[in-house]
Amino acid sequence: MDKQNKKAEWIWYPDDFEFMLANKVMTRRYQREVFIPPYWRLEQPNCNLKFYRDFELTKENVFTVKADGRFNIIINKKGEAGDNFIPVAAKPFAVAKGQWSMCISVYNDTGLPCLFVDSEEVKSGPGFTVSDGNYGQPACGCDGFFDADISPNQYTLPVEEIGYVSKERLSDTKRLYDFGRETFAFLKILGVKNSREITIFYGESRTEALDFENCELFEKVQITPDNAVTGYARGFRFAVIDFGGLLFDDICGLFEFAPIESKAFFQSGDSKLNDIYRTAEYTFLLNSREFYIDGIKRDRWLWSGDATQSYLMSFYTSYDIRIMRRTITALGGKQPVKTFLNGLVDYTLFWILSMWDYYMYTGDSEFVRSKFPLMQAMTEFYKTRINENGLLQGIEKDYTFIDHAVKGSADEISALQILYAKALLVMGDFCELFGIENDYHARSQAVMKKTRALYWDADKGCFYHSRVKGQLDGRITKHANIFAVLYGLVTSAEKEKILRGVLLNDEVEKITSPYIKFYEYAALCETGCHEIVMNEIKAYWGGMLNEGATAFWEEYNPLEKGAEKYAMYGRPYGKSLCHAWGASPLYLIGRYMLGLYPATAGYGSFVLQPALQVLGGTKSRMPTLNGFVELEFKGGVLKVYASKDGGELRLQSGWCANPPAEGRLIDGCCRYEIQAGKRYEFLLRDEL
Amino acid sequence: MDKQNKKAEWIWYPDDFEFMLANKVMTRRYQREVFIPPYWRLEQPNCNLKFYRDFELTKENVFTVKADGRFNIIINKKGEAGDNFIPVAAKPFAVAKGQWSMCISVYNDTGLPCLFVDSEEVKSGPGFTVSDGNYGQPACGCDGFFDADISPNQYTLPVEEIGYVSKERLSDTKRLYDFGRETFAFLKILGVKNSREITIFYGESRTEALDFENCELFEKVQITPDNAVTGYARGFRFAVIDFGGLLFDDICGLFEFAPIESKAFFQSGDSKLNDIYRTAEYTFLLNSREFYIDGIKRDRWLWSGDATQSYLMSFYTSYDIRIMRRTITALGGKQPVKTFLNGLVDYTLFWILSMWDYYMYTGDSEFVRSKFPLMQAMTEFYKTRINENGLLQGIEKDYTFIDHAVKGSADEISALQILYAKALLVMGDFCELFGIENDYHARSQAVMKKTRALYWDADKGCFYHSRVKGQLDGRITKHANIFAVLYGLVTSAEKEKILRGVLLNDEVEKITSPYIKFYEYAALCETGCHEIVMNEIKAYWGGMLNEGATAFWEEYNPLEKGAEKYAMYGRPYGKSLCHAWGASPLYLIGRYMLGLYPATAGYGSFVLQPALQVLGGTKSRMPTLNGFVELEFKGGVLKVYASKDGGELRLQSGWCANPPAEGRLIDGCCRYEIQAGKRYEFLLRDEL
């Protein structure tokens, strides 16, 4: 008999809650009246389960058992066989003192089969195991649902009333409401006196809401005095409502949100940068929901490439490991691995990479270990896409994304090789952690060797974009070069070459999506170009603010003016104006400008290496795992405080005017130990 | 563009309808008030599908599309990309003359996602393909559901009113109803005037129905004037109803049945045998439902070992290939193979063996081919259970059934080796049919070689029962010996030895269940012991009739008297009194007494070898694939008629008094060609 749970909670077959919930969330996408389900395989929960628990009672206990699904309960004396059914399953029943073996069968084919058991000494939770009828009896899944009366199948996010900021009369029956900024809400009609069908046209922009024929979202809703709320919460800022003959008093929104708090605070001397940070935070909050989704208006889906960045943003804001685990699990799916996540060749690689980030920031090797067989199966699946030249290449039915600028089911793309090499490296690192013999590191090196031989131009300092029919196509894109630098797959000398040859080379095709800018700017910071990145952040995200953005966009091209800036995917309002990957300044500022990151897994030790030369003064607080770091830089004085041990402040050699005794000079950096609970002050040189 | 369907029918992802329906059917088991779901893994349908169809229209067509689930429709000009959604999905819409590519997405997470498309030139059916989001786009599944208004999710068997034959007053509120024979029915209260909860105690025997504390089935039902039918159809003959204060006129049953017709007719000179045959037919009819189930009162489940026999019985009665395919599919489950069918080590082997029977009697190699990857995976899975001695043996968590007399998670059982050898043989035969290189035949021979070396006693003429810790346990059971003879895995000399050493040896443990008697008697007939078998049939099944049986039982021991004969599994009425495997005389009579069987797959050629020496006169008709054979034997004259070509009548040499010219003498048998549509008469010697 293993660990006892302190509080009873709902349990299920591992991962099945996440699959069920992701299915619900991802099938709320509508494009005008058209229902659009995800393009890829969705997993169904196991329908027929048996939950097991052996226990000892020191006295008679009264048990309450609830299940979502039909169920039965067998309680036998421990070690005795038989089917001693508890006759009245739905009512509380008593079990005498002694040692017992319990088996509860639950069947549900229209939702998640799940279970709640409560008694004084036995409570459902991680100590229960479960079988789906195959061999193996894993620990059951749970996610903190402690209310016996609310099954996980009924789980929804909370809502909060919000008001619009302005109203405009368009016609006798039509009104335009502006909620002041992007939001994710149901609409509620207040004081309804009669019953009518109303029509709602939503817009992330005013232009979109007023374009009734083309706005991405519209719906007809039957409103009655008893039922005056829309059926789905939608992503929008503006709404035009045609009330027809409805008699009512007013409307409001019901803002639907994940109850997470930002654990971060950032303030700099530049108010534009502060605005960018706050808008990024809000963008990220809107996209942090049951899962980390891509954007609130259109897909509302879990995309692995997008989520990989969201996790990193989360580590510098909400640090919400629960949403993260849910997202990783739902995206990962079930074995056998028969396809790529989201149907994109590169997106399974990002999923594997995200596990290393997850591990470094959370130290949660147990979770990674539970996913490791799946990770191994995913890695093996890539073997089916190694072509006759030994390169990773999608087959005809595959789709390789990388970026909107690269997408297609294409040729031998260099970026794919680099991502693959990094994924193999991560797999090898995990094997070492778990003590599993493996050849992943050797395979990674072989991939890089081949990639260098086939794509690297030492004179130009670049990996070429791709090979077509065995020949380099001559095109140079940044993607492979960015990943190679960021993931440390090239030597210092090669890194320098790439910096000049590609990253800072104006003649190379520019990255236009915030998605790849995330990696581009991270790579530039890795090569010390903080100032360039800071200027870019101010220009690019600042540019969106200048366009009136209240959340950051899926894509932004400063040259597009007027309504053309809302178009994408061949539709006039196809572009998402509140997209998770638009919020990347959160990561870039936290990780590179404030310079905080774990040096060992789970923030056992960590580094704080602020880019004081570009911050121009700051007062900030960033989360760590179960803690935080505060940093204030003003008037030539840097103050640092950490709530946990293991910190190391790194300042560029020569910055500090009063180097404390404990500072050590390594690689041109002064390093100072930061202990928990102590306040440190550093006097810095004037020019900073 | 491939085959066009003549009539639109509902379509789905292959196998998913069968999984959905089997889940529904198998979760109707209740033991008193306790819900008992199957012990094994149940499959869920894929929830997120895309159906595809390319087509050409010679003129404008109006399309009607229905789906069970949320859906959208994209119709593009053939060869053009894009998402041309049909805006109003639920209403009929027109498509112009031309070549088109259609993709319909259907999502359903609470039932089977399925689709119905109808227009003048395009109708949903086998020509459509479907994707579950993995690679591959198989032909969709369908099962003859042509009514657009009834989705396959609503499929139920028809019902028919039946009356009870007698009524008995037990108390003021309680009445006992006898329906005269076993039935499978809802109960309906007629002329209800008020609303009350009634309690129903069911019994296959009068004793059971009157034992309120122990009868296997009872239920409380809330009866109102508008809702006066029980929720599930149950297997029973007697019902005690406690009406409480309910005011009503009368009751009746609603007999629920599969609308299949028996294609067979059997009449012999022995009225007991005729009764046995008719009771067997009725028993089999009751258990032939949405699927071939095991028994109607208790499990109501699909069991592979049981179903394997049901298919063979069906070939001599209803020949219902639709129920057969459904049952095979639902039992087979999805890949990957992670467990044994029904959780029993031997039951996957029977599933593989049943595919050969299915193929021989139906000639449907296409269906077998579609299951062949699954069969291969099943066969591979057995490799995980080859122990260090090279023998097939369950691991600790496995359960090997074979028979109630053998069951357990046991030792190295000889019967398992024989079944495995036969399964490998079947796999090899299919590989030859499909032109797949393989080593199955060699593996089969190796298994038999080892089995002979370790279990065979040439002196005694037996395979011993099992080995425990590397040593023979000295026990002799019939099972391995029966299977070895029946499947032709021993030489003629060995067969003779087994006959004397085991099959006809009174000192060997007797087979007591009709389940293994099926194989025992088949093996005896294979060794020419028709007379013994005929006597056994009359004694054993006749014995049940003498006990008052109106359907045949799960198990019968003539020594048990009174209520003890109803007990099984430690419960006083645990035994099923209407069990599919109880109906095996259907097969034994058709296959061995009338002697009809396909000589080549699909009855391309077939044999009729009646055991005239034991029949004592008969007038019978037996089905073949798409045809029938008639046989009349009376007053020394044998009349034979077949509706299809390819027949060969075999009569023992010396039986025929007027051998026609075309008879050939081979192996002591006179063989006569039977051509379609001709009536043959043979004058036989007096002593027959």
mmCIF file of all heavy atoms in Angstrom, chain B residues 127-153:
data_model
loop_
_atom_site.group_PDB
_atom_site.id
_atom_site.type_symbol
_atom_site.label_atom_id
_atom_site.label_comp_id
_atom_site.label_asym_id
_atom_site.label_seq_id
_atom_site.Cartn_x
_atom_site.Cartn_y
_atom_site.Cartn_z
ATOM 1 N N GLY B 127 -17.701 3.143 -52.484
ATOM 2 C CA GLY B 127 -16.771 3.908 -53.326
ATOM 3 C C GLY B 127 -16.151 5.107 -52.629
ATOM 4 O O GLY B 127 -15.232 5.711 -53.158
ATOM 5 N N PHE B 128 -16.628 5.441 -51.450
ATOM 6 C CA PHE B 128 -16.053 6.561 -50.700
ATOM 7 C C PHE B 128 -14.858 6.065 -49.882
ATOM 8 O O PHE B 128 -14.826 4.922 -49.435
ATOM 9 C CB PHE B 128 -17.087 7.158 -49.744
ATOM 10 C CG PHE B 128 -18.085 8.083 -50.390
ATOM 11 C CD1 PHE B 128 -18.829 7.680 -51.487
ATOM 12 C CD2 PHE B 128 -18.286 9.368 -49.895
ATOM 13 C CE1 PHE B 128 -19.764 8.528 -52.075
ATOM 14 C CE2 PHE B 128 -19.217 10.228 -50.471
ATOM 15 C CZ PHE B 128 -19.951 9.812 -51.560
ATOM 16 N N THR B 129 -13.895 6.950 -49.664
ATOM 17 C CA THR B 129 -12.784 6.620 -48.770
ATOM 18 C C THR B 129 -12.864 7.544 -47.555
ATOM 19 O O THR B 129 -13.622 8.514 -47.546
ATOM 20 C CB THR B 129 -11.427 6.786 -49.463
ATOM 21 O OG1 THR B 129 -11.305 8.131 -49.935
ATOM 22 C CG2 THR B 129 -11.296 5.820 -50.639
ATOM 23 N N VAL B 130 -12.049 7.223 -46.556
ATOM 24 C CA VAL B 130 -12.153 7.974 -45.297
ATOM 25 C C VAL B 130 -10.793 8.002 -44.610
ATOM 26 O O VAL B 130 -10.009 7.063 -44.728
ATOM 27 C CB VAL B 130 -13.242 7.339 -44.392
ATOM 28 C CG1 VAL B 130 -12.910 5.902 -44.057
ATOM 29 C CG2 VAL B 130 -13.476 8.156 -43.134
ATOM 30 N N SER B 131 -10.535 9.098 -43.913
ATOM 31 C CA SER B 131 -9.286 9.221 -43.157
ATOM 32 C C SER B 131 -9.598 9.542 -41.705
ATOM 33 O O SER B 131 -10.504 10.320 -41.410
ATOM 34 C CB SER B 131 -8.432 10.337 -43.752
ATOM 35 O OG SER B 131 -7.454 10.750 -42.818
ATOM 36 N N ASP B 132 -8.827 8.945 -40.802
ATOM 37 C CA ASP B 132 -8.965 9.244 -39.372
ATOM 38 C C ASP B 132 -7.878 10.226 -38.924
ATOM 39 O O ASP B 132 -7.717 10.452 -37.742
ATOM 40 C CB ASP B 132 -8.896 7.960 -38.543
ATOM 41 C CG ASP B 132 -7.554 7.262 -38.682
ATOM 42 O OD1 ASP B 132 -6.746 7.685 -39.535
ATOM 43 O OD2 ASP B 132 -7.300 6.280 -37.945
ATOM 44 N N GLY B 133 -7.149 10.766 -39.895
ATOM 45 C CA GLY B 133 -6.096 11.725 -39.560
ATOM 46 C C GLY B 133 -4.721 11.091 -39.597
ATOM 47 O O GLY B 133 -3.717 11.787 -39.587
ATOM 48 N N ASN B 134 -4.662 9.777 -39.631
ATOM 49 C CA ASN B 134 -3.398 9.104 -39.876
ATOM 50 C C ASN B 134 -3.199 9.020 -41.377
ATOM 51 O O ASN B 134 -4.051 9.404 -42.160
ATOM 52 C CB ASN B 134 -3.427 7.692 -39.274
ATOM 53 C CG ASN B 134 -3.382 7.728 -37.762
ATOM 54 O OD1 ASN B 134 -2.631 8.486 -37.181
ATOM 55 N ND2 ASN B 134 -4.207 6.908 -37.132
ATOM 56 N N TYR B 135 -2.054 8.509 -41.784
ATOM 57 C CA TYR B 135 -1.859 8.278 -43.210
ATOM 58 C C TYR B 135 -2.770 7.127 -43.618
ATOM 59 O O TYR B 135 -3.223 6.343 -42.810
ATOM 60 C CB TYR B 135 -0.390 7.983 -43.499
ATOM 61 C CG TYR B 135 0.450 9.201 -43.232
ATOM 62 C CD1 TYR B 135 0.968 9.457 -41.967
ATOM 63 C CD2 TYR B 135 0.666 10.141 -44.232
ATOM 64 C CE1 TYR B 135 1.695 10.604 -41.700
ATOM 65 C CE2 TYR B 135 1.390 11.298 -43.982
ATOM 66 C CZ TYR B 135 1.899 11.520 -42.714
ATOM 67 O OH TYR B 135 2.614 12.660 -42.458
ATOM 68 N N GLY B 136 -2.990 7.015 -44.906
ATOM 69 C CA GLY B 136 -3.871 5.944 -45.369
ATOM 70 C C GLY B 136 -5.283 6.463 -45.473
ATOM 71 O O GLY B 136 -5.712 7.311 -44.687
ATOM 72 N N GLN B 137 -5.992 5.996 -46.482
ATOM 73 C CA GLN B 137 -7.345 6.461 -46.741
ATOM 74 C C GLN B 137 -8.146 5.250 -47.201
ATOM 75 O O GLN B 137 -8.394 5.060 -48.382
ATOM 76 C CB GLN B 137 -7.264 7.516 -47.842
ATOM 77 C CG GLN B 137 -8.408 8.490 -47.848
ATOM 78 C CD GLN B 137 -8.116 9.622 -48.827
ATOM 79 O OE1 GLN B 137 -7.147 10.358 -48.681
ATOM 80 N NE2 GLN B 137 -8.941 9.736 -49.840
ATOM 81 N N PRO B 138 -8.534 4.404 -46.247
ATOM 82 C CA PRO B 138 -9.190 3.158 -46.627
ATOM 83 C C PRO B 138 -10.595 3.396 -47.174
ATOM 84 O O PRO B 138 -11.174 4.465 -46.957
ATOM 85 C CB PRO B 138 -9.250 2.392 -45.307
ATOM 86 C CG PRO B 138 -9.225 3.435 -44.251
ATOM 87 C CD PRO B 138 -8.380 4.554 -44.794
ATOM 88 N N ALA B 139 -11.103 2.401 -47.875
ATOM 89 C CA ALA B 139 -12.515 2.415 -48.259
ATOM 90 C C ALA B 139 -13.327 2.478 -46.974
ATOM 91 O O ALA B 139 -12.988 1.851 -45.973
ATOM 92 C CB ALA B 139 -12.849 1.155 -49.041
ATOM 93 N N CYS B 140 -14.406 3.250 -46.998
ATOM 94 C CA CYS B 140 -15.197 3.413 -45.782
ATOM 95 C C CYS B 140 -15.929 2.113 -45.455
ATOM 96 O O CYS B 140 -16.076 1.232 -46.297
ATOM 97 C CB CYS B 140 -16.173 4.557 -45.947
ATOM 98 S SG CYS B 140 -17.318 4.239 -47.253
ATOM 99 N N GLY B 141 -16.414 2.029 -44.238
ATOM 100 C CA GLY B 141 -17.221 0.894 -43.826
ATOM 101 C C GLY B 141 -18.691 1.164 -44.079
ATOM 102 O O GLY B 141 -19.130 2.317 -44.118
ATOM 103 N N CYS B 142 -19.472 0.116 -44.277
ATOM 104 C CA CYS B 142 -20.924 0.255 -44.407
ATOM 105 C C CYS B 142 -21.542 -1.105 -44.112
ATOM 106 O O CYS B 142 -20.851 -2.118 -44.110
ATOM 107 C CB CYS B 142 -21.314 0.754 -45.794
ATOM 108 S SG CYS B 142 -20.621 -0.198 -47.142
ATOM 109 N N ASP B 143 -22.834 -1.126 -43.821
ATOM 110 C CA ASP B 143 -23.463 -2.382 -43.406
ATOM 111 C C ASP B 143 -24.931 -2.413 -43.828
ATOM 112 O O ASP B 143 -25.770 -3.003 -43.148
ATOM 113 C CB ASP B 143 -23.329 -2.545 -41.880
ATOM 114 C CG ASP B 143 -23.618 -3.967 -41.415
ATOM 115 O OD1 ASP B 143 -23.490 -4.909 -42.223
ATOM 116 O OD2 ASP B 143 -23.994 -4.139 -40.237
ATOM 117 N N GLY B 144 -25.236 -1.697 -44.914
ATOM 118 C CA GLY B 144 -26.600 -1.787 -45.438
ATOM 119 C C GLY B 144 -27.627 -0.942 -44.715
ATOM 120 O O GLY B 144 -28.772 -1.378 -44.545
ATOM 121 N N PHE B 145 -27.240 0.270 -44.294
ATOM 122 C CA PHE B 145 -28.223 1.181 -43.693
ATOM 123 C C PHE B 145 -28.618 2.220 -44.740
ATOM 124 O O PHE B 145 -27.886 3.173 -44.980
ATOM 125 C CB PHE B 145 -27.647 1.838 -42.440
ATOM 126 C CG PHE B 145 -27.428 0.860 -41.326
ATOM 127 C CD1 PHE B 145 -26.173 0.346 -41.053
ATOM 128 C CD2 PHE B 145 -28.501 0.428 -40.559
ATOM 129 C CE1 PHE B 145 -25.974 -0.571 -40.038
ATOM 130 C CE2 PHE B 145 -28.314 -0.487 -39.529
ATOM 131 C CZ PHE B 145 -27.056 -0.996 -39.278
ATOM 132 N N PHE B 146 -29.754 2.018 -45.356
ATOM 133 C CA PHE B 146 -30.148 2.820 -46.518
ATOM 134 C C PHE B 146 -31.119 3.952 -46.177
ATOM 135 O O PHE B 146 -31.438 4.766 -47.026
ATOM 136 C CB PHE B 146 -30.794 1.908 -47.577
ATOM 137 C CG PHE B 146 -29.841 0.891 -48.136
ATOM 138 C CD1 PHE B 146 -29.928 -0.444 -47.776
ATOM 139 C CD2 PHE B 146 -28.842 1.273 -49.029
ATOM 140 C CE1 PHE B 146 -29.038 -1.386 -48.280
ATOM 141 C CE2 PHE B 146 -27.956 0.343 -49.544
ATOM 142 C CZ PHE B 146 -28.051 -0.998 -49.167
ATOM 143 N N ASP B 147 -31.603 3.997 -44.948
ATOM 144 C CA ASP B 147 -32.579 5.016 -44.588
ATOM 145 C C ASP B 147 -31.874 6.274 -44.092
ATOM 146 O O ASP B 147 -31.259 6.263 -43.028
ATOM 147 C CB ASP B 147 -33.522 4.453 -43.510
ATOM 148 C CG ASP B 147 -34.680 5.391 -43.229
ATOM 149 O OD1 ASP B 147 -34.561 6.611 -43.494
ATOM 150 O OD2 ASP B 147 -35.716 4.903 -42.744
ATOM 151 N N ALA B 148 -32.001 7.355 -44.867
ATOM 152 C CA ALA B 148 -31.320 8.608 -44.519
ATOM 153 C C ALA B 148 -31.740 9.120 -43.150
ATOM 154 O O ALA B 148 -30.971 9.798 -42.466
ATOM 155 C CB ALA B 148 -31.612 9.671 -45.578
ATOM 156 N N ASP B 149 -32.945 8.794 -42.731
ATOM 157 C CA ASP B 149 -33.471 9.358 -41.490
ATOM 158 C C ASP B 149 -33.120 8.549 -40.245
ATOM 159 O O ASP B 149 -33.427 8.958 -39.132
ATOM 160 C CB ASP B 149 -34.997 9.512 -41.585
ATOM 161 C CG ASP B 149 -35.365 10.544 -42.638
ATOM 162 O OD1 ASP B 149 -34.609 11.530 -42.775
ATOM 163 O OD2 ASP B 149 -36.369 10.352 -43.338
ATOM 164 N N ILE B 150 -32.521 7.376 -40.440
ATOM 165 C CA ILE B 150 -32.139 6.565 -39.284
ATOM 166 C C ILE B 150 -30.637 6.353 -39.315
ATOM 167 O O ILE B 150 -30.121 5.569 -40.110
ATOM 168 C CB ILE B 150 -32.871 5.213 -39.275
ATOM 169 C CG1 ILE B 150 -34.387 5.437 -39.266
ATOM 170 C CG2 ILE B 150 -32.456 4.396 -38.059
ATOM 171 C CD1 ILE B 150 -35.193 4.163 -39.350
ATOM 172 N N SER B 151 -29.936 7.053 -38.447
ATOM 173 C CA SER B 151 -28.483 6.914 -38.404
ATOM 174 C C SER B 151 -28.121 5.561 -37.793
ATOM 175 O O SER B 151 -28.871 5.022 -36.973
ATOM 176 C CB SER B 151 -27.889 8.056 -37.586
ATOM 177 O OG SER B 151 -27.054 7.579 -36.566
ATOM 178 N N PRO B 152 -26.982 5.024 -38.169
ATOM 179 C CA PRO B 152 -26.538 3.748 -37.577
ATOM 180 C C PRO B 152 -26.461 3.794 -36.049
ATOM 181 O O PRO B 152 -26.543 2.761 -35.401
ATOM 182 C CB PRO B 152 -25.151 3.547 -38.190
ATOM 183 C CG PRO B 152 -25.202 4.293 -39.484
ATOM 184 C CD PRO B 152 -26.090 5.478 -39.241
ATOM 185 N N ASN B 153 -26.320 5.006 -35.496
ATOM 186 C CA ASN B 153 -26.308 5.107 -34.029
ATOM 187 C C ASN B 153 -27.662 4.745 -33.429
ATOM 188 O O ASN B 153 -27.755 4.441 -32.241
ATOM 189 C CB ASN B 153 -25.934 6.530 -33.596
ATOM 190 C CG ASN B 153 -24.452 6.799 -33.762
ATOM 191 O OD1 ASN B 153 -23.632 6.154 -33.125
ATOM 192 N ND2 ASN B 153 -24.100 7.723 -34.634
#
